[in-house]
Amino acid sequence: MSPARPPGASRLATYFHVHLVSDSTGETLNAMAKAVIARFDGVIPIEHIYALVRSNKQMERVLEEIAAAPGVVLHTLVDRELREQLEEGCRRLNMPQIGALDPLVGALSRYLGADVSARVGAQHALDTGYFNRMSALDYAIAHDDGQGTLEQLEQADVVLCGVSRTSKTPTCIYLAHRGIRAANVPLVPGQEDGERLTALKNPLVVGLTVSPDRLVQIRRNRLDGLNAGHASAYVDHDSVREETIKARRAFERRSWPTIDVTRRSVEETAAAIINLLSERRSRRLGAPM
């Protein structure tokens, strides 16, 4: 047996091969694999991605690569013949293979009493939802960084407001991929204070806040990437602190819901906004006619 690791000692990273096999784009499988692997500390996957695997010949090449780099095989194969080919190949190689969606699909099928569709890439169909997402993406790009008239902003589901570098743009793009029309308006000292947004009736206006220390760090990194100097109020601690305080007070004065993005990822910020939109929708549906 290997000697016990002393308490508090750091563990060496564990590398392993993970093979992700899909007969569609592989986006679902990649997201699931990342979510699961993130639950393990000190584990670093070496990913092998095989998307759009739709023939026996393609599967043969996949199995050859799996044999050359033993590890775990995850798949979201719909085609029964390809699935059996992969399962049989993994048995010969004595390698674990997991149908990532099997537990959920099986449970939902039993609950609904419905058969499972064998249509590959069904979630990527060019349906109304798809075109709504593309329209939302076009809207987010066209109404980024304060662009658009007040009348155009009325068409949004949500308008994000905050000082520079509070993740407004990436959050809008993420929301657009969920079919939510999002615009953003930056607060700029001496130019834009967000007052015009108080006239909006349809969209939910959400204020994004951040700690001054974190904001200075983000802005300095931004300037470093642009090879720009740091001698400006943009990264001055006192100026940034005053800027963030004014933003918070403006949000409170206007009774806008606020989200502190200091330690939030874009996905977490977007999830909080989606919850706010859902709560708002529920209140409106529950309101007396």
Short mmCIF file of all heavy atoms in Angstrom, two decimals, residues 6-43:
data_model
loop_
_atom_site.label_atom_id
_atom_site.label_comp_id
_atom_site.label_asym_id
_atom_site.label_seq_id
_atom_site.Cartn_x
_atom_site.Cartn_y
_atom_site.Cartn_z
N PRO A 6 0.13 13.00 4.41
CA PRO A 6 0.01 13.79 5.64
C PRO A 6 -1.17 14.75 5.56
O PRO A 6 -1.49 15.26 4.48
CB PRO A 6 1.34 14.56 5.71
CG PRO A 6 2.26 13.81 4.83
CD PRO A 6 1.42 13.20 3.75
N PRO A 7 -1.85 15.00 6.69
CA PRO A 7 -2.97 15.94 6.68
C PRO A 7 -2.54 17.30 6.14
O PRO A 7 -1.50 17.83 6.50
CB PRO A 7 -3.36 16.03 8.17
CG PRO A 7 -2.84 14.77 8.78
CD PRO A 7 -1.60 14.43 8.03
N GLY A 8 -3.36 17.85 5.26
CA GLY A 8 -3.07 19.17 4.71
C GLY A 8 -2.14 19.16 3.52
O GLY A 8 -1.93 20.18 2.87
N ALA A 9 -1.55 17.99 3.21
CA ALA A 9 -0.63 17.93 2.07
C ALA A 9 -1.43 18.01 0.78
O ALA A 9 -2.52 17.47 0.65
CB ALA A 9 0.17 16.63 2.11
N SER A 10 -0.88 18.71 -0.21
CA SER A 10 -1.57 18.86 -1.48
C SER A 10 -1.47 17.56 -2.27
O SER A 10 -0.47 16.85 -2.22
CB SER A 10 -0.95 20.01 -2.30
OG SER A 10 0.42 19.74 -2.54
N ARG A 11 -2.55 17.27 -3.00
CA ARG A 11 -2.60 16.05 -3.78
C ARG A 11 -2.16 16.34 -5.21
O ARG A 11 -2.51 17.38 -5.78
CB ARG A 11 -4.04 15.52 -3.77
CG ARG A 11 -4.23 14.31 -4.65
CD ARG A 11 -5.72 14.00 -4.74
NE ARG A 11 -5.96 12.94 -5.70
CZ ARG A 11 -7.15 12.62 -6.17
NH1 ARG A 11 -8.20 13.30 -5.78
NH2 ARG A 11 -7.30 11.64 -7.03
N LEU A 12 -1.38 15.42 -5.77
CA LEU A 12 -0.95 15.59 -7.15
C LEU A 12 -2.15 15.46 -8.07
O LEU A 12 -3.07 14.68 -7.80
CB LEU A 12 0.11 14.55 -7.51
CG LEU A 12 1.46 14.67 -6.78
CD1 LEU A 12 2.37 13.52 -7.18
CD2 LEU A 12 2.13 16.00 -7.12
N ALA A 13 -2.14 16.20 -9.15
CA ALA A 13 -3.25 16.15 -10.10
C ALA A 13 -3.31 14.78 -10.76
O ALA A 13 -2.29 14.17 -11.06
CB ALA A 13 -3.09 17.24 -11.16
N THR A 14 -4.52 14.29 -10.96
CA THR A 14 -4.75 13.02 -11.63
C THR A 14 -5.21 13.29 -13.05
O THR A 14 -6.24 13.93 -13.26
CB THR A 14 -5.82 12.20 -10.89
OG1 THR A 14 -5.37 11.94 -9.56
CG2 THR A 14 -6.08 10.88 -11.61
N TYR A 15 -4.45 12.82 -14.01
CA TYR A 15 -4.82 12.97 -15.42
C TYR A 15 -5.50 11.68 -15.90
O TYR A 15 -5.11 10.58 -15.49
CB TYR A 15 -3.57 13.22 -16.28
CG TYR A 15 -2.94 14.57 -16.07
CD1 TYR A 15 -2.05 14.77 -15.02
CD2 TYR A 15 -3.24 15.65 -16.90
CE1 TYR A 15 -1.46 16.02 -14.81
CE2 TYR A 15 -2.65 16.89 -16.70
CZ TYR A 15 -1.76 17.07 -15.66
OH TYR A 15 -1.19 18.29 -15.44
N PHE A 16 -6.51 11.83 -16.73
CA PHE A 16 -7.13 10.63 -17.30
C PHE A 16 -7.75 10.98 -18.64
O PHE A 16 -8.10 12.13 -18.90
CB PHE A 16 -8.18 10.05 -16.34
CG PHE A 16 -9.47 10.82 -16.29
CD1 PHE A 16 -10.62 10.36 -16.93
CD2 PHE A 16 -9.55 12.03 -15.60
CE1 PHE A 16 -11.80 11.08 -16.87
CE2 PHE A 16 -10.73 12.75 -15.54
CZ PHE A 16 -11.86 12.27 -16.18
N HIS A 17 -7.87 9.97 -19.49
CA HIS A 17 -8.47 10.16 -20.81
C HIS A 17 -9.98 10.00 -20.70
O HIS A 17 -10.48 9.06 -20.06
CB HIS A 17 -7.92 9.13 -21.80
CG HIS A 17 -6.47 9.30 -22.11
ND1 HIS A 17 -6.01 10.23 -23.01
CD2 HIS A 17 -5.37 8.67 -21.61
CE1 HIS A 17 -4.68 10.16 -23.07
NE2 HIS A 17 -4.27 9.22 -22.24
N VAL A 18 -10.72 10.92 -21.32
CA VAL A 18 -12.16 10.78 -21.39
C VAL A 18 -12.57 10.96 -22.85
O VAL A 18 -12.20 11.95 -23.50
CB VAL A 18 -12.89 11.80 -20.48
CG1 VAL A 18 -12.49 13.23 -20.81
CG2 VAL A 18 -14.40 11.63 -20.59
N HIS A 19 -13.27 9.97 -23.37
CA HIS A 19 -13.68 9.96 -24.78
C HIS A 19 -15.17 10.33 -24.86
O HIS A 19 -16.01 9.65 -24.25
CB HIS A 19 -13.44 8.59 -25.40
CG HIS A 19 -12.00 8.18 -25.36
ND1 HIS A 19 -11.12 8.46 -26.40
CD2 HIS A 19 -11.28 7.52 -24.42
CE1 HIS A 19 -9.92 7.99 -26.08
NE2 HIS A 19 -9.99 7.41 -24.89
N LEU A 20 -15.48 11.39 -25.59
CA LEU A 20 -16.85 11.89 -25.70
C LEU A 20 -17.36 11.63 -27.11
O LEU A 20 -16.88 12.24 -28.07
CB LEU A 20 -16.89 13.39 -25.38
CG LEU A 20 -16.22 13.81 -24.06
CD1 LEU A 20 -16.24 15.32 -23.90
CD2 LEU A 20 -16.91 13.14 -22.88
N VAL A 21 -18.30 10.70 -27.23
CA VAL A 21 -18.76 10.24 -28.55
C VAL A 21 -20.22 10.66 -28.75
O VAL A 21 -21.09 10.33 -27.94
CB VAL A 21 -18.64 8.71 -28.67
CG1 VAL A 21 -18.94 8.26 -30.10
CG2 VAL A 21 -17.26 8.23 -28.24
N SER A 22 -20.48 11.37 -29.84
CA SER A 22 -21.84 11.84 -30.12
C SER A 22 -22.15 11.72 -31.60
O SER A 22 -21.26 11.88 -32.44
CB SER A 22 -22.00 13.30 -29.68
OG SER A 22 -23.25 13.82 -30.08
N ASP A 23 -23.42 11.43 -31.92
CA ASP A 23 -23.82 11.42 -33.33
C ASP A 23 -24.45 12.76 -33.71
O ASP A 23 -24.97 12.91 -34.80
CB ASP A 23 -24.79 10.27 -33.63
CG ASP A 23 -25.88 10.13 -32.58
OD1 ASP A 23 -26.09 11.10 -31.83
OD2 ASP A 23 -26.48 9.05 -32.49
N SER A 24 -24.35 13.74 -32.79
CA SER A 24 -24.80 15.09 -33.09
C SER A 24 -23.62 16.05 -32.86
O SER A 24 -22.46 15.66 -33.04
CB SER A 24 -26.00 15.46 -32.22
OG SER A 24 -26.53 16.71 -32.59
N THR A 25 -23.88 17.27 -32.45
CA THR A 25 -22.80 18.25 -32.31
C THR A 25 -21.91 17.99 -31.11
O THR A 25 -20.80 18.50 -31.05
CB THR A 25 -23.39 19.66 -32.16
OG1 THR A 25 -24.18 19.73 -30.96
CG2 THR A 25 -24.27 20.01 -33.36
N GLY A 26 -22.40 17.25 -30.12
CA GLY A 26 -21.60 16.95 -28.94
C GLY A 26 -21.68 18.01 -27.86
O GLY A 26 -21.06 17.87 -26.80
N GLU A 27 -22.45 19.08 -28.08
CA GLU A 27 -22.51 20.16 -27.10
C GLU A 27 -23.08 19.69 -25.76
O GLU A 27 -22.56 20.03 -24.70
CB GLU A 27 -23.37 21.30 -27.65
CG GLU A 27 -22.73 22.03 -28.84
CD GLU A 27 -23.62 23.14 -29.37
OE1 GLU A 27 -24.58 23.50 -28.66
OE2 GLU A 27 -23.37 23.62 -30.48
N THR A 28 -24.16 18.91 -25.81
CA THR A 28 -24.77 18.42 -24.58
C THR A 28 -23.80 17.56 -23.80
O THR A 28 -23.63 17.72 -22.58
CB THR A 28 -26.04 17.60 -24.91
OG1 THR A 28 -26.97 18.44 -25.60
CG2 THR A 28 -26.68 17.06 -23.64
N LEU A 29 -23.13 16.65 -24.49
CA LEU A 29 -22.20 15.73 -23.83
C LEU A 29 -21.02 16.49 -23.24
O LEU A 29 -20.59 16.21 -22.11
CB LEU A 29 -21.72 14.69 -24.85
CG LEU A 29 -20.82 13.57 -24.30
CD1 LEU A 29 -21.51 12.83 -23.17
CD2 LEU A 29 -20.46 12.61 -25.42
N ASN A 30 -20.48 17.44 -23.98
CA ASN A 30 -19.35 18.23 -23.47
C ASN A 30 -19.72 18.97 -22.20
O ASN A 30 -18.97 19.01 -21.23
CB ASN A 30 -18.87 19.22 -24.54
CG ASN A 30 -18.24 18.54 -25.73
OD1 ASN A 30 -17.98 17.35 -25.70
ND2 ASN A 30 -18.03 19.29 -26.79
N ALA A 31 -20.92 19.58 -22.20
CA ALA A 31 -21.37 20.34 -21.02
C ALA A 31 -21.57 19.42 -19.83
O ALA A 31 -21.18 19.76 -18.70
CB ALA A 31 -22.67 21.08 -21.35
N MET A 32 -22.16 18.24 -20.06
CA MET A 32 -22.38 17.29 -18.97
C MET A 32 -21.06 16.81 -18.40
O MET A 32 -20.88 16.71 -17.18
CB MET A 32 -23.21 16.11 -19.47
CG MET A 32 -24.64 16.45 -19.81
SD MET A 32 -25.56 15.00 -20.35
CE MET A 32 -25.69 14.09 -18.81
N ALA A 33 -20.11 16.49 -19.28
CA ALA A 33 -18.81 15.99 -18.82
C ALA A 33 -18.10 17.03 -17.98
O ALA A 33 -17.54 16.72 -16.91
CB ALA A 33 -17.95 15.59 -20.03
N LYS A 34 -18.11 18.27 -18.43
CA LYS A 34 -17.45 19.35 -17.67
C LYS A 34 -18.10 19.53 -16.30
O LYS A 34 -17.43 19.76 -15.29
CB LYS A 34 -17.49 20.65 -18.47
CG LYS A 34 -16.48 20.70 -19.60
CD LYS A 34 -16.56 22.02 -20.35
CE LYS A 34 -15.39 22.18 -21.31
NZ LYS A 34 -15.30 21.11 -22.31
N ALA A 35 -19.44 19.46 -16.27
CA ALA A 35 -20.16 19.66 -15.01
C ALA A 35 -19.82 18.56 -14.00
O ALA A 35 -19.64 18.83 -12.81
CB ALA A 35 -21.67 19.69 -15.27
N VAL A 36 -19.71 17.33 -14.48
CA VAL A 36 -19.43 16.21 -13.58
C VAL A 36 -17.97 16.23 -13.12
O VAL A 36 -17.67 16.08 -11.94
CB VAL A 36 -19.76 14.87 -14.27
CG1 VAL A 36 -19.29 13.71 -13.41
CG2 VAL A 36 -21.25 14.76 -14.53
N ILE A 37 -17.05 16.46 -14.06
CA ILE A 37 -15.63 16.43 -13.73
C ILE A 37 -15.27 17.56 -12.77
O ILE A 37 -14.37 17.43 -11.93
CB ILE A 37 -14.78 16.49 -15.02
CG1 ILE A 37 -14.98 15.21 -15.83
CG2 ILE A 37 -13.30 16.68 -14.70
CD1 ILE A 37 -14.41 15.25 -17.23
N ALA A 38 -16.01 18.68 -12.87
CA ALA A 38 -15.75 19.82 -11.97
C ALA A 38 -16.01 19.47 -10.51
O ALA A 38 -15.56 20.18 -9.60
CB ALA A 38 -16.60 21.02 -12.39
N ARG A 39 -16.75 18.38 -10.26
CA ARG A 39 -17.04 17.97 -8.89
C ARG A 39 -15.86 17.29 -8.21
O ARG A 39 -15.89 17.01 -7.02
CB ARG A 39 -18.24 17.00 -8.88
CG ARG A 39 -19.51 17.56 -9.49
CD ARG A 39 -20.09 18.69 -8.67
NE ARG A 39 -20.51 18.24 -7.35
CZ ARG A 39 -21.69 17.72 -7.08
NH1 ARG A 39 -22.59 17.57 -8.04
NH2 ARG A 39 -22.00 17.35 -5.85
N PHE A 40 -14.79 17.01 -8.96
CA PHE A 40 -13.63 16.31 -8.42
C PHE A 40 -12.42 17.25 -8.38
O PHE A 40 -12.06 17.83 -9.40
CB PHE A 40 -13.29 15.08 -9.27
CG PHE A 40 -14.39 14.05 -9.31
CD1 PHE A 40 -15.38 14.11 -10.26
CD2 PHE A 40 -14.43 13.03 -8.37
CE1 PHE A 40 -16.41 13.18 -10.30
CE2 PHE A 40 -15.44 12.08 -8.40
CZ PHE A 40 -16.43 12.16 -9.36
N ASP A 41 -11.83 17.39 -7.20
CA ASP A 41 -10.64 18.22 -7.06
C ASP A 41 -9.41 17.47 -7.53
O ASP A 41 -9.29 16.25 -7.34
CB ASP A 41 -10.45 18.62 -5.59
CG ASP A 41 -11.56 19.54 -5.09
OD1 ASP A 41 -12.07 20.32 -5.92
OD2 ASP A 41 -11.91 19.47 -3.90
N GLY A 42 -8.48 18.20 -8.14
CA GLY A 42 -7.21 17.60 -8.54
C GLY A 42 -7.32 16.61 -9.66
O GLY A 42 -6.47 15.73 -9.82
N VAL A 43 -8.39 16.70 -10.46
CA VAL A 43 -8.60 15.78 -11.58
C VAL A 43 -8.58 16.59 -12.88
O VAL A 43 -9.32 17.56 -13.02
CB VAL A 43 -9.93 15.03 -11.44
CG1 VAL A 43 -10.22 14.24 -12.71
CG2 VAL A 43 -9.89 14.09 -10.24
#
